Amino acid sequence: MGPEWIAIIALVALFVAGTVLPINMGALAYVAAWFVGVFALHMDEKEVLGGISADLVLTLIGVTYLFSIAKNNGTVDLIVSKAIQAVGGRVALIPWVMFGVTALLTAMGAASPAACAIIGPVALGFARRYQINPLMMGMFVVHGAQGGGFSPISIYGTITNSVMSDVGYEGTEMAVFIASLAVNTAMAVILFLALGGRQLMQQRVDPAEASEAADHVVDDLHTGGASVTASGQGAGVSTTTRGTGVRRDHVLTLVAFAAVATTALAFDMNIGFVSITAAVVLAMLSPQQHKDAVKQIAWPTVLLVAGVSTYATILTEAGSPEYIGNWAAGLGIAAIGALVLCYVGGIASAFASSTALLPVIIPIAVPLIAGGGVSPWAMAAALAVSSTIVDVSPFSTNGALMLANRPDTISEQAYYKQILNYAIIVTLVGPLLVWGILVLPGW
């Protein structure tokens, strides 16, 4: 058996184990990297460890550290509360506010499950209060998280951009972000029209009632978020007592996020260094308030990405991505190979971690891109969106969070079936549509 097949079989095994067992897939990837690298490829241990991307790990630490400070000082609470108050009495806008706020949180650096854990209880609480279809509301939250999830300072975005840079293709950052946001917005529009959104447009409530409901949002955030964190989902929602109105630290935090985005994008500075610098400055301004913020960094995600990126290097050393990519390219038409990879990413991600899949699936597409049949940004966007749009699945963390926070107006079994049926449709049709929009036209 060739080394490429040994590495592929080990990859499948670690994904299966990480899906079935409650073990961080990054830890499993380190074990697989050690065994395959040392005993199958005869690498020394320093070469195995050399596969980790320090830039990517620093970026994950920096952006999630900055976001944890935004949670601690109430900036996230303020964003959600003000957004809901802006709805006034227009019930039809409530799902879109949930979509937009969740997208904003992931775009700011929140892990997708963390954003869903924060907004999910609030969104489904409004679904119960105003008789909004719970499937629509829950999926709006998930699609919002995925829509904002590929901003250049987000977790998904930094992973995708880092991997593309490592394989020799840069400048795809905004294209991937816009593609993800557009596709997930389109999915939200379809859900809105299919699940009673037009009827909601005819409903009005007293604006004072909507404002009063918004006043309870922060309490719902802490109550719902804390329960999810306790169950092990890792939202890390702060229990800091909220204040009233816009405070100095809110303004400083929002300025910090704007400065990070501007500095990193306009001046091409390292996002990891910029974001961790902004987080340290905010922590120095309020040291007692943020002394525990470092504990809320998405350490499980850091371990996951560090381990999987290390194993991705082992795959490359074994020649697995080139082997699979050449097979896909050998199907005769580059676009067909791209479609196959989109389905591989979508189906695998419906049952496993999207964060873990991205560093592995993107290098496989390099032969297709190198052959000139598919543009780099279109291939990266198609794989990124196909591998994350399926996170509506109840087997993924995001879908499971929506199920866990179902309103009492629907039974758990009925809600599970609704989410499962929708996830099946998205998994079967989503990659095809993404491929048809991004790859087939030959942009």
Side-chain angles (χ1 to χ4, degrees), residues 418-432:
Q418 289 182 5
I419 295 177
L420 179 61
N421 289 335
Y422 178 66
I424 291 173
I425 294 172
V426 171
T427 303
L428 293 178
V429 180
L432 178 63

Side-chain angles (χ1 to χ4, degrees), residues 50 59 94 159 193-194 225 277 295 325 379 390 405 420 429:
T59 299
I94 294 177
I159 293 172
L193 296 176
T277 300
K295 297 178 182 179
M379 192 71 249
V390 297
N405 289 289
L420 179 61
V429 180

Side-chain angles (χ1 to χ4, degrees), residues 98-120:
M98 299 296 108
F99 178 95
V101 172
T102 314
L104 179 61
L105 295 185
T106 54
M108 289 166 57
S112 180
C116 289
I118 292 169
I119 303 302

Side-chain angles (χ1 to χ4, degrees), residues 8-24:
I8 291 170
I9 292 172
L11 175 67
V12 173
L14 76 88
F15 266 92
V16 171
T19 302
V20 175
L21 302 174
I23 303 175
N24 187 294

Side-chain angles (χ1 to χ4, degrees), residues 34 63 362 376:
W34 184 55
V63 296
I362 293 177

